[in-house]
Amino acid sequence: MASIWASGMAEGINANTTAMKRALITPHARGIVLDIGAGHGHTLRFLQSADVSLYIAVEPNAHMHKFIRAEAAQNGFDHGDVLIVGGGIEALDGSDCVDTIVSVLTLCSVDDLRQCLDILYGMLRHGGKLLVYEHVKSKVPKAAWWQRFWTPLWSSLFDGCKLTVPALEVIKCAYIWQEAHVSMKEGDHPCDLFVHEVGVFVK
């Protein structure tokens, strides 16, 4: 999958979501930023280095780490401002220790959504923000049926990614937030096979 990503797929996805990610990440990310499923580190393009004390990239695929370091250097981050964790969310530990968590097209691939969200919620400080962009389970029954139909093939091709994960609904309903703002990505339709949601959650 890393070779497919490196061949241009990652850049294509990033180009198609630049405006959305700039609106989601740039005004909100501050302090210690935890980027789960960091991939190539494209989140770094939307961070203001002066506002970020430490960028932590959680990326289990070691082939991606060189891309993260390159992105950090290109976007004004010193070597000491970046920490790469070569494991999954399940390997994280800590309580009230990060100010911002960024999840971009990551929660669709985790084995146990609630376990991962429990870990992330525990790590987020009071007043901290969880910034989320994910493709999610459709609320339209016919579209959801097609998502279930295609998920086994899609998942086998794309590292366990599933089309049927209601990630933002679970985040909003299962945890206590001071603020929770969820919207459909501009241009998407509820009947789409790939319907995306954007969320800003303040603990």
Side-chain angles (χ1 to χ4, degrees):
M1 183 64 181
S3 59
I4 297 175
W5 216 245
S7 68
M9 186 175 181
E11 284 293 347
I13 291 176
N14 187 64
N16 290 331
T17 57
T18 293
M20 180 281 302
K21 287 196 278 191
R22 184 174 291 116
L24 173 66
I25 298 170
T26 306
H28 298 290
R30 298 289 185 275
I32 299 176
V33 176
L34 180 69
D35 186 11
I36 62 170
H40 279 65
H42 286 165
T43 292
L44 285 153
R45 301 180 185 182
F46 305 98
L47 299 176
Q48 301 290 332
S49 59
D51 295 331
V52 177
S53 56
L54 179 65
Y55 170 76
I56 306 172
V58 179
E59 178 48 62
N61 191 331
H63 297 291
M64 300 290 193
H65 295 177
K66 63 182 179 182
F67 298 108
I68 296 172
R69 294 188 185 97
E71 282 288 346
Q74 291 169 14
N75 287 280
F77 286 82
D78 295 332
H79 181 76
D81 298 332
V82 177
L83 173 64
I84 299 176
V85 178
I89 299 169
E90 299 86 351
L92 297 175
D93 188 24
S95 178
D96 301 322
C97 57
V98 298
D99 303 290
T100 309
I101 299 175
V102 179
S103 174
V104 174
L105 301 177
T106 297
L107 297 174
C108 54
S109 300
V110 300
D111 292 328
D112 188 329
L113 179 64
R114 282 301 303 270
Q115 178 192 11
C116 291
L117 291 176
D118 285 349
I119 292 169
L120 296 175
Y121 186 81
M123 294 182 72
L124 192 61
R125 290 171 174 160
H126 181 74
K129 294 182 179 181
L130 172 59
L131 312 176
V132 186
Y133 169 66
E134 299 284 347
H135 64 78
V136 297
K137 180 181 178 182
S138 175
K139 296 178 175 64
V140 177
K142 187 173 182 179
W145 186 91
W146 281 109
Q147 287 178 325
R148 290 193 298 272
F149 177 83
W150 285 113
T151 284
L153 176 60
W154 182 262
S155 184
S156 68
L157 293 173
F158 292 98
D159 283 358
C161 172
K162 299 175 284 292
L163 307 179
T164 54
V165 180
L168 281 86
E169 181 179 347
V170 174
I171 293 170
K172 185 175 181 179
C173 297
Y175 301 91
I176 298 173
W177 305 101
Q178 295 185 59
E179 300 177 33
H181 306 283
V182 178
S183 61
M184 186 183 303
K185 180 192 171 189
E186 185 177 354
D188 280 11
H189 188 278
C191 292
D192 290 344
L193 186 64
F194 291 92
V195 59
H196 301 81
E197 290 183 339
V198 182
V200 177
F201 303 89
V202 182
K203 185 174 179 182

